[in-house]
Amino acid sequence: VQLQASGGGLVQAGGSLRLSCAASGRRFSSYSLGWFRQGPGQEREFVAAITFGSQNTYYADSVKGRFTISRDNAKDTVYLQMNSLKPEDTAVYSCAATIRPGVRKMETYDYWGQGTQVTVSS
């Protein structure tokens, strides 16, 4: 599976962005998908994940209630809608795919896309 993230940019605090991650390859619907981010001088951290059947979604506490992950299996795409953005959300956001359980953990994921920069100004 190859992943291509897009949709990043510069936005003011309180604004919104929607990230997309398009996948190529077979059996997209069989994969659980996650978003991770890495801020300046910080380690990469979990943001959100959605299981292969879209039955379950998971969020980091820091984004719960503001971010929404969704997927469109017909388009082989996963989305991250980000609302009420804060300066601390500034990071490079990456998408990843896995068929294994444990979607909050980076080591679970086998496929990674390149990141897209999100910058939130105060």
Side-chain angles (χ1 to χ4, degrees):
V1 175
Q2 293 183 322
L3 304 168
Q4 179 81 28
S6 62
L10 174 64
V11 64
Q12 289 187 332
S16 299
L17 281 174
R18 188 177 80 156
L19 305 184
S20 300
C21 178
S24 61
R26 298 183 300 172
R27 299 172 56 192
F28 173 81
S29 60
S30 299
Y31 289 88
S32 295
L33 301 159
W35 286 97
F36 291 78
R37 68 185 182 186
Q38 186 168 17
Q42 299 178 357
E43 295 185 351
R44 183 179 286 179
E45 64 176 1
F46 169 76
V47 176
I50 186 166
T51 56
F52 64 91
S54 300
Q55 294 179 350
N56 295 298
T57 56
Y58 303 87
Y59 297 93
D61 288 343
S62 59
V63 307
K64 198 173 296 182
R66 300 188 297 122
F67 290 11
T68 303
I69 188 171
S70 62
R71 65 190 296 165
D72 185 339
N73 288 337
K75 296 183 178 179
D76 290 352
T77 301
V78 60
Y79 303 99
L80 185 68
Q81 178 66 45
M82 306 186 295
N83 298 329
S84 301
L85 282 161
K86 304 175 181 180
E88 51 263 44
D89 294 318
T90 295
V92 175
Y93 286 71
S94 301
C95 55
T98 183
I99 59 172
R100 296 183 283 168
V103 295
R104 291 180 179 269
K105 302 177 182 179
M106 284 187 293
E107 56 266 31
T108 296
Y109 292 84
D110 300 303
Y111 305 98
W112 289 83
Q114 94 297 345
T116 186
Q117 176 71 47
V118 172
T119 303
V120 185
S121 63
S122 57

